[in-house]
Amino acid sequence: MALAHENTPRTFAAGYLFGVPLNGLGWFASLLMGLAAGMAAFFAATFCGIFFILFYNTGGHHTGAAALDYADSYRRLGVPVGAAVGIFSLSYLGMLWMRGKAKRG
């Protein structure tokens, strides 16, 4: 008789992220997923930064030299967030890949 908790998907167990097993990935899949996570974070942070600057400039009636430049959205927000998420995800997935290699080898 199977218990109910044995059939439930693992969401945050070791090596699982939202039910997706990350343990069995190869080095190329880990590299691709790490870079994709960094790029997704870059685009999301840039999107949020653009809307923040839009609301700041229009809501505060900032014009001319007082207005924020839209290039700051990716320069000061998108690039640091994307790099941090990319480095974190590459290091995490690399650690899982090395741990899997050590167990098999």
Side-chain angles (χ1 to χ4, degrees):
M1 180 171 143
L3 298 174
H5 64 82
E6 289 178 1
N7 295 331
T8 58
R10 299 183 208 182
T11 55
F12 292 107
Y16 284 84
L17 180 65
F18 299 115
V20 177
L22 299 175
N23 277 339
L25 297 176
W27 69 270
F28 187 70
S30 298
L31 179 69
L32 229 62
M33 285 185 63
L35 292 176
M39 286 179 62
F42 166 77
F43 289 122
T46 302
F47 177 79
C48 292
I50 286 171
F51 273 98
F52 172 77
I53 291 173
L54 174 73
F55 294 139
Y56 177 79
N57 286 342
T58 57
H61 303 291
H62 297 102
T63 58
L68 291 177
D69 187 18
Y70 285 107
D72 291 337
S73 66
Y74 73 87
R75 221 182 292 145
R76 295 189 180 178
L77 186 66
V79 170
V81 168
V85 169
I87 290 170
F88 175 76
S89 62
L90 284 172
S91 62
Y92 177 71
L93 291 170
M95 180 197 61
L96 287 177
W97 180 70
M98 292 297 283
R99 189 180 297 165
K101 288 293 263 186
K103 282 184 181 180
R104 283 185 233 124

